[in-house]
Amino acid sequence: MKKLNTWIPDKEDSDFSIYNIPFGIYSDANVKHRVCSAIGEYIIDLFELESRDVFDINRSVFERESLNDFISLGKPTTNKVRAKLQEILCDDSSFLKSDTSFFGKVFKKQSAVKMLMPVKVGDYTDFYSSIDHATNIGTMIRDPKNALMPNWKHLPVGYHGRASSICVSGHSFYRPKGQQKPADAEVPVYGPSKLLDIELETAFVIGKQTQMGDTVSTDKADDHIFGMVLFNDWSARDIQTWEYVPLGPFLAKNFASTVSPWIVTLEALEPFRVKGYVQDPPLLPYLQYKGDRNLDIHLDVYIKPQNGEETHIIGSNYKYMYYTMEQQLAHHTVNGCNINVGDMMASGTISGPQPGEFGSMMELTWRGTKPIKLKDGSERKFINDNDTVTIKGYCKKDGMRVGFGECTGTLLPAK
Ligand code: MN
């Protein structure tokens, strides 16, 4: 990768380096919703910038409430916009640098704007593709000797989730209520979930649609993946344990999910590809793939109690995924299921092999048997009312850093 030097003041640990150039939607006192990118501590208003015809596309696409129409222009166009931004931001003689009043219109401090939901999500799917997570859960709730179900190493297990309650970072939501069956009770009870958990995940956003009957091969999958976000799949374990048989997650999952506001493009992530898991037994041909298709994305999770200090609780990595995004998409479409721009497909909880790398409270505290200590001295088995949970993530290599920003949600007491 060529070294890029931008004239924008850039901190070394910024998520939004010149190598990133993600896309999002912002608003402020004067702007209802516009497409933007980011560099350093600024957002870049692309609608304003295109008043100078730098990308040679109809600028109305930058004044929408989601990125769907921009993404639908296709990768040749969206990649051209990203490359052009990198070019302008590295050009010392750029009009953007010399025209300070125009600079002020296009560049706004990230701290001064509000980031909105980046895409309109038509359909949302969640996978279950981390071998350490699946093994931990299987060990806890079934049989340590047969922790993985017989299908697990043959296909990326998944379920269809709910798009209506996916919210952008910075939101709060109510502790869900529902049916639970305590182990010592004869009959189920109804009330607020007592075992409210997080799931450390990422998600990819579909960038190119297919028609019913079409399949997407692992080779072609990247053409259909626009980029990635951080994802917290909030989960009510007590509701889940009682309801999930035999069809899987339902009300334990659909009350809220949180996503980070910036979509980091697949092209920005390409330098951070690493070798995937050795998949044994071998998979059916439609799930096989060539090359290094896993990704080295460092992931951190923090809990902040109300009025309290933030505590780092998980340090993990996307590279622990057993199945790649390309395999997940190939499997998702192998029956002819069509996909649309803006569809979101989440990784499933990402756990690494070490206890500090486990991606849920259920695993971290081993079903509540080993509580974790926060900096304020309090303990957590699961998530408490008014706790704020933040996921952060970044890739780093050879002086390049590409980050995702934050994925933050706050749990309010049950309504
Ligand atoms: Mn999940």
Side-chain angles (χ1 to χ4, degrees):
M1 177 93 193
K2 206 177 87 193
K3 177 134 179 62
L4 302 173
N5 286 306
T6 173
W7 47 268
I8 296 277
D10 195 8
K11 287 203 203 98
E12 208 171 285
D13 62 347
S14 173
D15 278 351
F16 308 106
S17 72
I18 188 70
Y19 301 101
N20 191 346
I21 312 297
F23 294 101
I25 302 285
Y26 88 96
S27 79
D28 67 11
N30 305 309
V31 168
K32 200 172 167 201
H33 42 68
R34 277 184 192 169
V35 172
C36 61
S37 184
I39 180 88
E41 57 184 343
Y42 297 102
I43 65 109
I44 311 168
D45 182 324
L46 299 186
F47 181 76
E48 205 61 63
L49 183 54
E50 191 54 4
S51 65
R52 303 280 176 102
D53 287 325
V54 294
F55 308 120
D56 199 22
I57 58 179
N58 186 338
R59 73 197 278 243
S60 68
V61 78
F62 293 131
E63 214 179 18
R64 307 281 158 81
E65 61 184 335
S66 77
L67 289 168
N68 294 46
D69 290 346
F70 172 65
I71 294 171
S72 297
L73 295 176
K75 283 207 186 198
T77 303
T78 57
N79 284 342
K80 202 177 79 184
V81 168
R82 191 169 156 268
K84 188 73 188 172
L85 280 167
Q86 286 177 319
E87 184 193 314
I88 300 171
L89 295 167
C90 290
D91 176 7
D92 261 321
S93 56
S94 166
F95 67 96
L96 262 182
K97 193 179 175 187
S98 48
D99 185 343
T100 50
S101 88
F102 190 58
F103 180 94
K105 280 188 191 162
V106 172
F107 290 80
K108 297 178 180 180
K109 286 275 177 76
Q110 287 194 30
S111 54
V113 305
K114 186 173 163 13
M115 294 303 296
L116 306 179
M117 186 68 192
V119 280
K120 182 163 175 41
V121 183
D123 281 300
Y124 155 56
T125 301
D126 192 24
F127 286 94
Y128 187 59
S129 290
S130 152
I131 191 164
D132 291 296
H133 172 68
T135 304
N136 286 339
I137 297 297
T139 300
M140 269 184 273
I141 68 171
R142 280 189 305 272
D143 172 8
K145 285 197 204 82
N146 295 298
L148 295 180
M149 298 298 267
N151 61 0
W152 201 90
K153 283 193 171 177
H154 293 277
L155 54 85
V157 170
Y159 67 94
H160 284 117
R162 188 154 181 90
S164 69
S165 51
I166 301 178
C167 300
V168 76
S169 179
H171 76 121
S172 50
F173 63 96
Y174 299 105
R175 178 180 291 273
K177 292 179 282 192
Q179 227 187 85
Q180 307 135 37
K181 191 174 166 297
D184 52 1
E186 290 277 309
V187 290
V189 298
Y190 169 80
S193 165
K194 294 184 181 70
L195 309 180
L196 204 286
D197 203 352
I198 55 165
E199 290 194 340
L200 165 60
E201 304 195 18
T202 62
F204 63 89
V205 175
I206 295 299
K208 186 179 170 188
Q209 68 164 30
T210 63
Q211 302 301 318
M212 284 174 69
D214 290 351
T215 58
V216 177
S217 67
T218 54
D219 279 357
K220 293 271 184 280
D222 288 356
D223 297 346
H224 295 265
I225 300 173
F226 180 71
M228 290 176 78
V229 292
L230 303 173
F231 196 97
N232 187 349
D233 177 24
W234 300 90
S235 299
R237 298 301 179 200
D238 39 7
I239 297 172
Q240 185 177 1
T241 310
W242 174 231
E243 77 171 1
Y244 89 106
V245 187
L247 284 184
F250 187 31
L251 305 181
K253 302 274 192 176
N254 67 7
F255 55 90
S257 310
T258 313
V259 293
S260 53
W262 294 103
I263 304 184
V264 176
T265 66
L266 209 56
E267 287 66 29
L269 295 167
E270 208 53 45
F272 308 99
R273 291 283 189 183
V274 290
K275 211 172 152 44
Y277 253 89
V278 176
Q279 295 175 323
D280 184 31
L283 293 158
L284 286 169
Y286 81 90
L287 283 170
Q288 292 176 10
Y289 68 95
K290 292 185 201 77
D292 294 347
R293 304 320 291 165
N294 210 331
L295 280 165
D296 182 5
I297 308 173
H298 182 80
L299 299 164
D300 289 300
V301 182
Y302 303 82
I303 295 182
K304 185 187 175 300
Q306 191 177 28
N307 308 318
E309 205 186 335
E310 194 169 72
T311 304
H312 178 262
I313 60 161
I314 303 166
S316 194
N317 198 300
Y318 182 85
K319 70 183 179 193
Y320 295 129
M321 292 280 289
Y322 188 84
Y323 290 103
T324 67
M325 293 186 284
E326 290 78 6
Q327 291 179 308
Q328 290 173 331
L329 187 54
H331 185 64
H332 202 305
T333 58
V334 76
N335 64 345
C337 170
N338 53 325
I339 51 172
N340 288 303
V341 170
D343 286 358
M344 209 168 255
M345 300 189 181
S347 57
T349 310
I350 302 165
S351 291
Q354 302 302 321
E357 296 171 328
F358 294 173
S360 65
M361 296 298 282
M362 173 95 163
E363 295 163 85
L364 273 185
T365 70
W366 211 253
R367 253 183 153 176
T369 59
K370 299 175 190 169
I372 53 170
K373 262 224 152 62
L374 302 189
K375 281 184 182 167
D376 66 359
S378 64
E379 282 189 344
R380 290 292 181 284
K381 293 175 178 169
F382 287 88
I383 304 301
N384 285 7
D385 285 349
N386 303 307
D387 280 353
T388 295
V389 176
T390 297
I391 304 177
K392 296 182 190 179
Y394 63 88
C395 306
K396 205 173 173 179
K397 184 188 172 186
D398 302 337
M400 289 182 286
R401 186 183 155 112
V402 170
F404 286 81
E406 290 187 4
C407 173
T408 296
T410 300
L411 175 64
L412 301 173
K415 197 173 179 179

